[in-house]
Amino acid sequence: METKILSTSEYDIALAGKIIAEGGLVAFPTETVYGLGADALNDEAVKSIYVAKGRPSDNPLIVHIAEKDDIKPLVKEVTPKAQALIDKFFPAPLTIILPKSEKVGNVVSGGLDTVAVRIPENETARELIKASGCPVAAPSANTSGLPSPTKAKYVIDDMSGKIDAIIDGDDCEFGVESTVITLATETPTILRPGAVTKEMIEAVIGKVEVAKAVLEGMQNDEIAASPGMKYKHYAPKARVFIVNADKEGYEEFVNSKQDCFALCFEDDNVIIPKVTFGKENDDLSQAKELFDALRQLDEMGAKKVYARIPNTTGVGMAVYNRLIRAAAFSIIDLTKPFFIGLTGPSGAGKGYVCKYLTELGFNIINSDNIVKNIYESNSPLLDKLADIFGNDIIKDNKLDRKRLGEIVFNDSKRLELLNSIVHPEVIAQCEQLAKPLSVLDAPQLFEAKAQNKCNVIITVMADKELRAKRIKERDGISNEKAMERINAQLNEEYYINNADYVIYNNGGDIKTQIDNILEDIL
Ligand code: TXA
Ligand code: MG
């Protein structure tokens, strides 16, 4: 099908209206995002919207009207609260849901017994509806799942060849879709936040609720109050993570990263490739630019994106609601230290895993180094050890590790005593080094009973023979000695059963294993 590109001239709008009246599809600008319109009362025309978008048929469409009274034939009753909202706001980026009349078919309502209605503020949109002479069903004019189009060029990208015409108008003023509120429930409930905020609505009709899925996503067994909630949304091709941090924390975090993009505010000091979405304390500017920014990231070929977190108040709630879906609910929370405990027997290759985690920007806390520092410093702890194990374990104000080793090796009581003195000090020092996103590299994590300090525990494991070979080569000792060391450690099952995740490092691809674990835990 050849898609006509039309202007906003009176002539072209009349032509577009005729196309809709005859059952065709026309994309048009609104103040929120571009819509893909068809005659809402023509089932066949409405069906073709679902086809062009690739949209699931149970996800209902918003019916657009041009005059306030045009809602009456579409609903069972215009309730007092509905009337109050209409009088106060319409035309506006606000959609109200009411029980539907018989006039509204099941295709447009996705099989529900309610209908969503709005009057757009954008003049071209209203002129088009008038020219069509019918209520116009219109979802956002994007391919289902992609960010909604805020510019005509994105509609052309998604819809060329699939619909009859596109009105090439201005960029959209608000940039996020309308607020959707249902008045078909006991307490009016916002199903999708937009530029008409909860506070603005409450000032007119009193208490309204916000559906839980707006900010937290759907639980697996939950029934969607709005079918749109359950589908994947606004997703660019890149994997997006929201970074919960203040400006400085965010900048420090992203500037230490490679091979990724920042999705940040205009004034952020970011040295990696970036796309911005508005200004820090200006939610309207963020709303206006977010979808455009997500599309730009795709055009730039971004694979991984770290986004700055918007506020969730006012229009910020709408911005956050879209961004959290684009990020598939992945948040890296830098406001709380997050500790990954990394352990495993010697020779399993923890070092290699740490190296990759460092590349990914994690702060690695190496407990072996901390032990070493304690032993090599003139700390009060050494005096305590000397009191217990004898003065000959101290040489030149340093611990003679070899001597101490001889004393505790093969004497489990003394080893336990040693650990009970050293481990708490090591843990305390590790905690002091804790920053957001830290990895505690601790071969003796379990022996030190430090599990509960960690949010998640990863064991690195390899076959016994391979571990022995690696120890032999690394430390230049015999196979026998290497085996002796291995056998003095916790057994494999213990490491595996007490970990949340196990990385097998037998020489294969471990980066993918790590990526998958991180995807899961972050
Ligand atoms: O700003 C907008 O609202 C844009 C422009 C074009 O007007 N339109 C738009 O439509 O965003 P769409 O189809 O992309 O999103 C409509 C949302 C969906 O999440 C849908 O599930 C929900 O509204 N919805 C529609 N009718 C509903 C109903 N009867 N009950 C519950 N949710 C409904
Ligand atoms: Mg949409």
Side-chain angles (χ1 to χ4, degrees):
M1 171 189 303
E2 200 209 321
T3 302
K4 285 194 189 70
I5 307 295
L6 304 176
S7 73
T8 54
S9 71
E10 220 174 292
Y11 179 86
D12 275 7
I13 289 175
L15 179 64
K18 189 161 172 278
I19 295 174
I20 288 180
E22 287 170 357
L25 296 187
V26 178
F28 60 98
T30 84
E31 72 282 15
T32 58
V33 300
Y34 271 74
L36 176 55
D39 178 353
L41 304 179
N42 176 341
D43 279 356
E44 287 312 310
V46 175
K47 270 184 204 157
S48 60
I49 291 182
Y50 288 91
V51 174
K53 272 181 67 85
R55 179 176 174 116
S57 63
D58 68 345
N59 192 3
L61 308 179
I62 295 171
V63 178
H64 296 67
I65 54 176
E67 306 288 349
K68 293 180 183 175
D69 280 348
D70 293 348
I71 191 173
K72 286 189 181 144
L74 302 173
V75 299
K76 279 224 166 86
E77 182 201 353
V78 180
T79 60
K81 281 184 182 170
Q83 194 60 55
L85 292 180
I86 291 169
D87 291 341
K88 171 76 185 175
F89 294 111
F90 277 15
L94 173 69
T95 296
I96 61 176
I97 294 175
L98 286 167
K100 69 175 189 179
S101 72
E102 259 125 55
K103 234 181 147 174
V104 178
N106 274 329
V107 186
V108 71
S109 74
L112 299 178
D113 51 15
T114 51
V115 63
V117 183
R118 92 175 185 101
I119 303 183
E121 205 174 284
N122 180 291
E123 213 149 312
T124 303
R126 284 208 310 278
E127 290 306 317
L128 172 67
I129 298 163
K130 282 186 210 156
S132 312
C134 57
V136 174
S140 48
N142 52 287
T143 300
S144 206
L146 294 187
S148 299
T150 54
K151 297 182 169 173
K153 68 169 175 174
Y154 297 134
V155 182
I156 295 171
D157 288 348
D158 281 16
M159 290 298 151
S160 278
K162 296 182 182 165
I163 62 177
D164 299 284
I166 296 169
I167 298 180
D168 184 353
D170 288 340
D171 295 352
C172 300
E173 183 190 340
F174 290 110
V176 288
E177 308 89 337
S178 60
T179 305
V180 176
I181 184 168
T182 178
L183 301 171
T185 49
E186 193 141 305
T187 310
T189 304
I190 292 178
L191 303 179
R192 184 177 72 184
V196 177
T197 64
K198 177 174 187 268
E199 295 77 16
M200 289 160 75
I201 295 172
E202 283 189 326
V204 179
I205 57 167
K207 183 161 175 45
V208 307
E209 280 170 7
V210 176
K212 210 166 136 257
V214 162
L215 296 177
E216 294 171 25
M218 298 267 304
Q219 305 306 312
N220 281 341
D221 51 357
E222 204 179 325
I223 295 168
S226 174
M229 286 171 172
K230 68 180 182 232
Y231 293 110
K232 193 173 152 198
H233 257 309
Y234 319 119
K237 293 184 192 91
R239 259 193 77 198
V240 180
F241 297 89
I242 295 184
V243 180
N244 185 16
D246 60 11
K247 180 170 152 65
E248 286 73 34
Y250 175 82
E251 288 167 353
E252 193 191 335
F253 178 81
V254 292
N255 286 338
S256 71
K257 298 258 176 281
Q258 281 164 358
D259 302 328
C260 60
F261 282 70
L263 176 56
C264 58
F265 300 139
E266 269 167 39
D267 293 331
D268 289 342
N269 266 316
V270 165
I271 55 171
I272 64 168
K274 66 174 180 181
V275 174
T276 61
F277 70 115
K279 294 199 183 71
E280 168 139 34
N281 289 312
D282 180 356
D283 49 16
L284 280 170
S285 71
Q286 295 162 18
K288 185 171 176 144
E289 292 176 26
L290 177 65
F291 286 143
D292 187 22
L294 291 172
R295 293 226 175 209
Q296 282 180 44
L297 285 163
D298 272 354
E299 283 170 6
M300 293 161 89
K303 298 268 179 314
K304 196 184 280 174
V305 174
Y306 294 103
R308 230 181 121 193
I309 197 164
N311 284 327
T312 54
T313 49
V315 180
M317 187 190 278
V319 179
Y320 181 83
N321 167 271
R322 308 309 192 273
L323 186 56
I324 190 85
R325 280 163 174 77
F329 295 91
S330 305
I331 300 185
I332 297 174
D333 193 348
L334 300 186
T335 62
K336 296 189 222 128
F338 184 88
F339 244 147
I340 296 179
L342 189 71
T343 189
S346 20
K350 271 197 321 310
Y352 190 75
V353 175
C354 280
K355 196 165 152 260
Y356 184 51
L357 288 169
T358 309
E359 278 169 31
L360 293 178
F362 284 86
N363 167 43
I364 311 284
I365 299 169
N366 184 317
S367 62
D368 275 350
N369 284 347
I370 289 174
V371 174
K372 195 160 163 258
N373 285 340
I374 293 173
Y375 285 169
E376 289 181 0
S377 68
N378 189 5
S379 82
L381 197 133
L382 294 195
D383 298 337
K384 205 167 168 187
L385 292 179
D387 283 348
I388 296 170
F389 298 106
N391 283 329
D392 62 336
I393 62 164
I394 310 288
K395 241 190 231 158
D396 306 329
N397 287 330
K398 279 189 193 168
L399 185 95
D400 183 344
R401 290 185 81 162
K402 202 161 162 231
R403 179 69 200 116
L404 182 65
E406 284 162 11
I407 294 172
V408 298
F409 195 67
N410 285 332
D411 185 339
S412 58
K413 279 258 146 42
R414 291 189 144 217
L415 181 62
E416 230 171 80
L417 184 60
L418 173 67
N419 284 345
S420 73
I421 298 165
V422 178
H423 283 156
E425 175 64 21
V426 177
I427 293 172
Q429 291 200 20
C430 288
E431 282 187 302
Q432 273 172 19
L433 295 172
K435 282 200 284 183
L437 287 191
S438 288
V439 175
L440 176 60
D441 172 6
Q444 301 224 342
L445 186 81
F446 297 127
E447 291 91 332
K449 301 194 175 49
Q451 296 99 303
N452 59 0
K453 305 281 175 200
C454 305
N455 307 74
V456 64
I457 293 170
I458 303 176
T459 278
V460 185
M461 187 49 75
D463 293 346
K464 210 175 200 170
E465 294 68 35
L466 186 58
R467 277 185 277 143
K469 184 167 169 276
R470 285 177 186 159
I471 296 172
K472 224 171 72 183
E473 283 164 9
R474 185 188 64 197
D475 298 347
I477 57 174
S478 69
N479 203 43
E480 223 170 41
K481 271 260 175 299
M483 270 306 182
E484 204 173 89
R485 266 199 223 169
I486 286 176
N487 290 330
Q489 294 182 326
L490 297 169
N491 65 36
E492 288 184 11
E493 286 70 42
Y494 193 92
Y495 282 110
I496 292 171
N497 293 340
N498 286 283
D500 300 298
Y501 299 93
V502 181
I503 294 170
Y504 289 95
N505 186 8
N506 284 326
D509 169 27
I510 65 163
K511 286 191 176 176
T512 311
Q513 292 184 60
I514 296 172
D515 286 341
N516 290 341
I517 292 171
L518 292 180
E519 184 166 336
D520 210 37
I521 59 186
L522 297 178

